[in-house]
Amino acid sequence: MEPIVIHTGKVAGLDRVNVDTDQIIPKQFLKRIERTGFGKFLFNDWRYNNDGTENESFELNRPENKGASILVAGHNFGCGSSREHAPWALNDYGFQVVIAPSFADIFYNNCLKNGMLPIRLEESIVKDLLAKSIAADFELTVDLKNQVIVDGDHKYTFEIDPYWKEMLINGWDEIDVTLKYDEAIASYEAK
């Protein structure tokens, strides 16, 4: 996985609550066995009209949101089923950071395990960021090491478990952590 230490990126706003994993990546696209290739199906039922053309009224289809790597959304983002494909699709589309007032627990953990940074912020801050995301080229800087989001002159702190912070900063997954103990494991197995 790619480390996340400091990330500056364009912000896309999705001012919707209770966005469930079936809306993030609809079930008909879960047949792939790879972790890649899901981005083109992200929010499929909202992004595309029945004839396959882009739905111009959908937030991510607005020109100013193209190339965004930070998604700001409403309460209870990632609710519904526990499918790990949801963070895969978000990440494959290009998002590295998702900010919301609250997340479904399984979705939150799946993001962390797959190298994405989910950040919980107060609703008033999220509403302000959503309002700003309408402007073209709105960017934020997320400093994971110092647990700060920089928006111009404003700074917002966020919480993250130290274990996951270390994992994301180093670009490790759980297998990488296990391999840190390779010598001790080999020594134990030799006995």
Side-chain angles (χ1 to χ4, degrees):
M1 294 189 303
E2 291 295 317
I4 299 176
V5 181
I6 296 177
H7 176 77
T8 298
K10 187 188 288 191
V11 177
L14 187 65
D15 194 4
R16 301 175 188 223
V17 298
N18 301 318
V19 174
D20 71 38
T21 54
D22 194 49
Q23 292 162 322
I24 296 171
I25 182 73
K27 63 187 174 307
Q28 66 267 29
F29 302 113
L30 305 183
K31 298 172 186 165
R32 302 178 58 83
I33 58 172
E34 304 89 5
R35 291 183 178 201
T36 59
F38 291 100
K40 62 186 168 190
F41 308 118
L42 179 71
F43 299 117
N44 187 79
D45 296 344
W46 292 341
R47 279 176 60 201
Y48 301 105
N49 297 313
N50 290 336
D51 64 0
T53 60
E54 279 194 359
N55 174 0
E56 293 178 11
S57 67
F58 180 60
E59 295 91 326
L60 295 186
N61 289 341
R62 293 193 344 246
E64 59 270 21
N65 287 334
K66 299 292 184 190
S69 61
I70 299 173
L71 179 66
V72 178
H75 275 287
N76 201 26
F77 190 79
C79 60
S81 71
S82 60
R83 66 184 66 159
E84 195 170 14
H85 300 75
W88 294 351
L90 287 161
N91 194 255
D92 193 58
Y93 185 82
F95 291 115
Q96 294 184 328
V97 177
V98 181
I99 300 170
S102 62
F103 296 94
D105 288 339
I106 294 173
F107 174 82
Y108 182 87
N109 287 315
N110 281 340
C111 284
L112 293 167
K113 289 179 181 185
N114 286 284
M116 285 182 52
L117 176 58
I119 299 174
R120 294 181 185 104
L121 288 179
E122 293 177 27
E123 184 173 11
S124 60
I125 297 170
V126 170
K127 288 214 176 281
D128 183 50
L129 296 177
L130 283 167
K132 290 178 179 180
S133 73
I134 294 170
D137 299 323
F138 174 57
E139 289 188 341
L140 292 173
T141 297
V142 178
D143 180 345
L144 177 56
K145 186 175 181 183
N146 294 302
Q147 295 176 222
V148 171
I149 297 172
V150 179
D151 171 16
D153 293 336
H154 303 321
K155 291 185 180 182
Y156 310 107
T157 60
F158 61 91
E159 296 298 317
I160 185 169
D161 182 279
Y163 171 81
W164 289 113
K165 180 179 177 179
E166 180 183 25
M167 298 279 278
L168 291 171
I169 285 174
N170 290 293
W172 295 337
D173 63 14
E174 291 169 317
I175 294 171
D176 292 318
V177 172
T178 303
L179 292 176
K180 285 177 27 180
Y181 302 101
D182 192 35
E183 288 181 23
I185 293 168
S187 173
Y188 175 79
E189 289 176 341
K191 290 181 188 178

